[in-house]
mmCIF file of all heavy atoms in Angstrom:
data_model
loop_
_atom_site.group_PDB
_atom_site.id
_atom_site.type_symbol
_atom_site.label_atom_id
_atom_site.label_comp_id
_atom_site.label_asym_id
_atom_site.label_seq_id
_atom_site.Cartn_x
_atom_site.Cartn_y
_atom_site.Cartn_z
ATOM 1 N N GLU S 230 42.731 -42.863 -60.161
ATOM 2 C CA GLU S 230 43.065 -43.317 -61.510
ATOM 3 C C GLU S 230 41.854 -43.209 -62.432
ATOM 4 O O GLU S 230 41.982 -42.877 -63.612
ATOM 5 C CB GLU S 230 43.565 -44.756 -61.454
ATOM 6 C CG GLU S 230 44.876 -44.912 -60.694
ATOM 7 C CD GLU S 230 45.290 -46.367 -60.569
ATOM 8 O OE1 GLU S 230 44.509 -47.232 -61.031
ATOM 9 O OE2 GLU S 230 46.371 -46.633 -60.016
ATOM 10 N N ARG S 231 40.677 -43.478 -61.903
ATOM 11 C CA ARG S 231 39.468 -43.337 -62.723
ATOM 12 C C ARG S 231 39.224 -41.877 -63.078
ATOM 13 O O ARG S 231 38.782 -41.561 -64.186
ATOM 14 C CB ARG S 231 38.268 -43.904 -61.982
ATOM 15 C CG ARG S 231 36.983 -43.876 -62.769
ATOM 16 C CD ARG S 231 35.854 -44.557 -62.019
ATOM 17 N NE ARG S 231 36.160 -45.957 -61.748
ATOM 18 C CZ ARG S 231 35.334 -46.771 -61.098
ATOM 19 N NH1 ARG S 231 34.167 -46.323 -60.659
ATOM 20 N NH2 ARG S 231 35.678 -48.036 -60.901
ATOM 21 N N SER S 232 39.527 -40.959 -62.142
ATOM 22 C CA SER S 232 39.373 -39.541 -62.440
ATOM 23 C C SER S 232 40.349 -39.098 -63.515
ATOM 24 O O SER S 232 39.990 -38.341 -64.417
ATOM 25 C CB SER S 232 39.591 -38.719 -61.168
ATOM 26 O OG SER S 232 39.505 -37.339 -61.437
ATOM 27 N N LEU S 233 41.598 -39.571 -63.429
ATOM 28 C CA LEU S 233 42.567 -39.255 -64.476
ATOM 29 C C LEU S 233 42.139 -39.823 -65.821
ATOM 30 O O LEU S 233 42.358 -39.211 -66.863
ATOM 31 C CB LEU S 233 43.948 -39.803 -64.109
ATOM 32 C CG LEU S 233 44.769 -38.977 -63.113
ATOM 33 C CD1 LEU S 233 46.028 -39.735 -62.732
ATOM 34 C CD2 LEU S 233 45.121 -37.632 -63.713
ATOM 35 N N ALA S 234 41.521 -41.002 -65.809
ATOM 36 C CA ALA S 234 41.075 -41.614 -67.058
ATOM 37 C C ALA S 234 39.994 -40.780 -67.736
ATOM 38 O O ALA S 234 39.834 -40.852 -68.962
ATOM 39 C CB ALA S 234 40.556 -43.021 -66.791
ATOM 40 N N LEU S 235 39.258 -39.985 -66.970
ATOM 41 C CA LEU S 235 38.241 -39.126 -67.580
ATOM 42 C C LEU S 235 38.867 -38.015 -68.397
ATOM 43 O O LEU S 235 38.245 -37.477 -69.307
ATOM 44 C CB LEU S 235 37.347 -38.516 -66.489
ATOM 45 C CG LEU S 235 36.497 -39.495 -65.683
ATOM 46 C CD1 LEU S 235 35.768 -38.765 -64.576
ATOM 47 C CD2 LEU S 235 35.513 -40.209 -66.583
ATOM 48 N N ARG S 236 40.117 -37.651 -68.054
ATOM 49 C CA ARG S 236 40.778 -36.547 -68.748
ATOM 50 C C ARG S 236 41.821 -37.019 -69.748
ATOM 51 O O ARG S 236 42.037 -36.392 -70.771
ATOM 52 C CB ARG S 236 41.448 -35.640 -67.711
ATOM 53 C CG ARG S 236 42.098 -34.411 -68.313
ATOM 54 C CD ARG S 236 42.555 -33.465 -67.220
ATOM 55 N NE ARG S 236 43.144 -32.262 -67.785
ATOM 56 C CZ ARG S 236 43.577 -31.247 -67.064
ATOM 57 N NH1 ARG S 236 43.482 -31.294 -65.752
ATOM 58 N NH2 ARG S 236 44.100 -30.182 -67.638
ATOM 59 N N ILE S 237 42.492 -38.132 -69.446
ATOM 60 C CA ILE S 237 43.569 -38.612 -70.308
ATOM 61 C C ILE S 237 42.984 -39.449 -71.431
ATOM 62 O O ILE S 237 42.287 -40.423 -71.173
ATOM 63 C CB ILE S 237 44.580 -39.446 -69.504
ATOM 64 C CG1 ILE S 237 45.133 -38.606 -68.358
ATOM 65 C CG2 ILE S 237 45.679 -39.976 -70.389
ATOM 66 C CD1 ILE S 237 46.026 -39.383 -67.420
ATOM 67 N N PRO S 238 43.249 -39.116 -72.686
ATOM 68 C CA PRO S 238 42.734 -39.940 -73.786
ATOM 69 C C PRO S 238 43.464 -41.273 -73.863
ATOM 70 O O PRO S 238 44.664 -41.361 -73.612
ATOM 71 C CB PRO S 238 43.010 -39.082 -75.021
ATOM 72 C CG PRO S 238 44.157 -38.217 -74.627
ATOM 73 C CD PRO S 238 44.008 -37.949 -73.162
ATOM 74 N N LEU S 239 42.721 -42.310 -74.159
ATOM 75 C CA LEU S 239 43.298 -43.639 -74.291
ATOM 76 C C LEU S 239 44.099 -43.721 -75.582
ATOM 77 O O LEU S 239 43.606 -43.376 -76.654
ATOM 78 C CB LEU S 239 42.204 -44.705 -74.307
ATOM 79 C CG LEU S 239 42.654 -46.152 -74.400
ATOM 80 C CD1 LEU S 239 43.433 -46.513 -73.144
ATOM 81 C CD2 LEU S 239 41.458 -47.069 -74.579
ATOM 82 N N PRO S 240 45.398 -44.107 -75.527
ATOM 83 C CA PRO S 240 46.209 -44.190 -76.751
ATOM 84 C C PRO S 240 45.663 -45.244 -77.691
ATOM 85 O O PRO S 240 45.163 -46.297 -77.287
ATOM 86 C CB PRO S 240 47.591 -44.572 -76.219
ATOM 87 C CG PRO S 240 47.340 -45.221 -74.906
ATOM 88 C CD PRO S 240 46.137 -44.527 -74.329
#
Side-chain angles (χ1 to χ4, degrees):
E230 295 176 357
R231 183 175 300 180
S232 177
L233 280 173
L235 295 175
R236 183 172 182 177
I237 303 174
L239 182 65

